[in-house]
């Protein structure tokens, strides 16, 4: 069965929905079996209130720009139909999910919470597990995984979703760098302790060749990686 994931980001009028802040932009990109499909969802929303100046400094979306945009209730069902049944991939998911749940609740039309419609994967939690004690915001992850974010001068929901999709695929695609010198800072004495010399008179290693079934499984796995597969790069 195909695995459908939606990489999602929102922009808002401010941080806390409990203080009346609303969503002004939703951007989503679709992954099916780890491949971008181009079936994206993007919409600007009139929040019926002004954005905080600090928020405008982050995303650059002005109150004037949003005046003629649809209200959330006008796009709610289309948005729900798009995400329903998928796994949402979100960086700092509690923030975006909290705002989405708030928007559905404000409609007072029986909508449930996001977790009732979708699974949610938080890439910030994933990054903190993989890289404890390091910066794990989206810009830091782009640098770590060599993802191009040069077009990201301001936050934007669709652009950030596209970037996060690349970061997520890199984070979950296996080893990215060899890091052969990762223990160098520990000093040569520690390195010597970690070295294990092999007996020069040891018997030759047995070479085990992959079976035809294993070769087929390997090729199927490479097909999932698609154009990002380094093993097939010319």
């Amino acid at each position: 069965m195909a695995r459908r994931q939606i990489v999602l980001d929102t922009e808002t009028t401010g941080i806390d929905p409990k203080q009346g802040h609303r969503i002004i932009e939703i951007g989503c990109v679709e992954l099916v079996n780890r491949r971008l499909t181009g079936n994206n969802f993007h919409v600007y929303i009139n929040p019926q209130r002004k954005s905080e100046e600090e928020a405008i400094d982050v995303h650059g979306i002005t109150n004037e720009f949003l005046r003629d945009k649809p209200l959330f209730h006008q796009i709610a069902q289309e948005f729900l139909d798009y995400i329903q049944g998928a796994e949402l991939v979100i960086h700092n998911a509690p923030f975006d999910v909290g705002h989405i749940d708030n928007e559905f609740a404000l409609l007072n039309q029986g909508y449930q919470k996001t977790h009732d419609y979708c699974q949610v994967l938080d890439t910030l939690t994933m990054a903190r597990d993989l890289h404890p004690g390091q910066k794990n915001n989206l810009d830091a992850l782009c640098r770590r995984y060599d993802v191009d974010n040069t077009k990201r001068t301001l936050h934007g929901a669709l652009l950030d979703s596209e970037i996060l999709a690349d970061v997520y695929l890199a984070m979950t695609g296996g080893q990215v760098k060899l890091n052969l010198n990762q223990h160098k800072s520990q000093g040569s004495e520690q390195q010597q302790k970690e070295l294990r010399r092999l007996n020069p008179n040891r018997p030759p290693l047995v070479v085990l060749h992959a079976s035809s079934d294993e070769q087929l499984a390997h090729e199927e796995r490479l097909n999932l990686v698609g154009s990002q597969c380094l093993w097939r790069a010319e």
Side-chain angles (χ1 to χ4, degrees):
M1 183 176 179
R3 183 186 184 191
R4 183 171 183 261
Q5 296 172 295
I6 301 297
V7 186
L8 180 148
D9 186 53
T10 65
E11 300 298 338
T12 63
T13 62
I15 296 296
D16 192 352
K18 294 180 181 178
Q19 296 181 0
H21 287 295
R22 305 286 301 274
I23 292 176
I24 61 172
E25 184 186 11
I26 301 173
C28 306
V29 299
E30 182 185 61
L31 295 171
V32 176
N33 292 336
R34 295 179 56 83
R35 290 192 177 189
L36 293 164
T37 67
N39 178 26
N40 300 340
F41 180 93
H42 182 225
V43 64
Y44 291 103
I45 300 166
N46 182 345
Q48 299 180 286
R49 60 154 294 160
K50 291 185 177 180
S51 295
E52 292 185 340
E53 288 300 322
E54 293 84 354
I56 296 176
D57 289 341
V58 171
H59 51 60
I61 302 172
T62 65
N63 298 309
E64 292 76 14
F65 175 79
L66 296 170
R67 283 177 182 167
D68 63 346
K69 301 303 182 284
L71 305 182
F72 185 82
H73 78 85
Q74 294 175 288
I75 62 93
Q77 191 58 51
E78 180 184 4
F79 172 58
L80 179 58
D81 291 343
Y82 178 81
I83 66 171
Q84 190 162 10
E87 179 182 50
L88 302 184
V89 178
I90 308 174
H91 203 65
N92 191 18
F95 175 84
D96 299 271
V97 171
H99 274 280
I100 294 170
D101 287 348
N102 178 64
E103 294 290 347
F104 280 131
L106 290 174
L107 297 179
N108 196 26
Q109 294 180 7
Y111 285 102
Q112 301 176 48
K113 291 185 177 296
T114 305
H115 282 276
D116 294 319
Y117 301 113
C118 307
Q119 298 180 44
V120 178
L121 173 65
D122 187 354
T123 52
L124 179 57
T125 299
M126 178 186 296
R128 285 171 174 168
D129 290 339
L130 291 171
H131 311 289
Q134 301 182 49
K135 288 185 177 180
N136 288 300
N137 59 39
L138 192 54
D139 287 333
L141 292 175
C142 285
R143 291 190 294 271
R144 188 170 300 141
Y145 289 98
D146 297 324
V147 172
D148 182 11
N149 66 340
T150 54
K151 296 180 181 179
R152 191 180 190 244
T153 56
L154 290 171
H155 288 251
L158 184 60
L159 176 60
D160 283 2
S161 293
E162 292 171 343
I163 293 173
L164 179 57
D166 288 339
V167 168
Y168 167 73
L169 291 172
M171 286 175 64
T172 57
Q175 187 174 10
V176 177
K177 297 180 180 179
L178 291 177
N179 293 327
L180 296 177
N181 296 320
Q182 60 182 341
H183 299 301
K184 188 174 183 180
S185 61
Q186 297 177 8
S188 59
E189 182 178 349
Q190 178 65 27
Q191 291 181 50
Q192 290 296 327
K193 291 179 180 179
E194 294 177 356
L195 291 175
R196 183 170 63 89
R197 301 296 182 185
L198 296 177
N199 187 337
N201 297 320
R202 69 188 185 279
L205 296 176
V206 177
V207 179
L208 299 178
H209 296 282
S211 68
S212 57
D213 289 341
E214 289 169 336
Q215 287 280 15
L216 179 59
H218 177 67
E219 291 300 320
E220 290 176 348
R221 176 59 59 180
L222 295 184
N223 288 337
L224 289 178
V225 178
S227 60
Q228 299 188 30
C229 176
L230 297 179
W231 301 113
R232 288 178 173 168
E234 296 182 358

